Amino acid sequence: MRWLLWGVAAFGVAAVVYIIVQATTNPVAPGGLERVAKGEMAALQTPAEPLPAPVTTIYGPEGEPLRLADFKGEVVVLNLWATWCPPCVAEMPTLAKLAADYQGKPVRVVAVSIDREDDLEKARAFMAKNAPLAFYNDPNMKMAFDLKPAAPGMPTTVIYGRDGVERGRLAGGADWSGPDAKAVIDHVLAEG
């Protein structure tokens, strides 16, 4: 009986050592982004199958048609928001701070308003209060549905690597100005 207890204990120790080794050598997701997604970023989800950004046309600060592929070579923090969405409005100053902190680096915060045509001036005025963010819009609300999977609601933020492939997604509002968000962005930036 005693040797049976020692055998079970040895097996338990071996199992724990195996789990520890696997956890340190095999990150949960490609790139290991989930390891740094803590605090405000704890709800960040990494895609099971990373996909490139949709080819949806959005409109830039001067009304010019753009696609997210136009920003290839930069880490893109795509935020879908609207003036009628209180969590969107609340998080916008934190996205502005994130954009300011990464000025001069290959990181672009693309906050895309999905406000309707009638509310674009209201959205543009709101964005002007959140410099250095530029005003982007999608008055047809196509981007939210062209994401795979589709955005579950507003705000939704999707982070793309410099290669234009999705790295992570956060549904709901968050504080993008703090160290938790910077750890995520720095990790994606370091991936190259």
Side-chain angles (χ1 to χ4, degrees), residues 8-131:
V8 170
F11 179 77
V13 168
V16 169
V17 168
Y18 175 79
I19 290 168
I20 291 171
V21 168
Q22 289 300 309
T24 58
T25 59
N26 295 329
V28 175
L33 188 57
E34 289 168 336
R35 288 180 297 171
V36 297
K38 307 286 186 216
E40 280 289 318
M41 298 291 112
L44 186 83
Q45 297 180 344
T46 57
E49 198 174 312
L51 297 172
V55 296
T56 309
T57 298
I58 59 174
Y59 297 92
E62 304 302 319
E64 72 278 17
L66 296 168
R67 293 189 174 168
L68 293 178
D70 294 334
F71 306 119
K72 198 167 186 175
E74 298 176 274
V75 170
V76 173
V77 180
L78 169 69
N79 177 264
L80 299 177
W81 71 282
T83 56
W84 46 259
C85 165
C88 301
V89 171
E91 83 173 346
M92 199 57 63
T94 72
L95 284 161
K97 174 89 169 79
L98 181 73
D101 289 346
Y102 283 94
Q103 281 187 328
K105 295 182 180 174
V107 174
R108 184 180 301 255
V109 179
V110 180
V112 179
S113 166
I114 62 163
D115 284 284
R116 294 178 189 221
E117 196 76 38
D118 296 346
D119 294 324
L120 285 184
E121 286 313 309
K122 178 180 175 184
R124 188 181 302 278
F126 175 75
M127 189 56 71
K129 297 175 186 173
N130 288 285

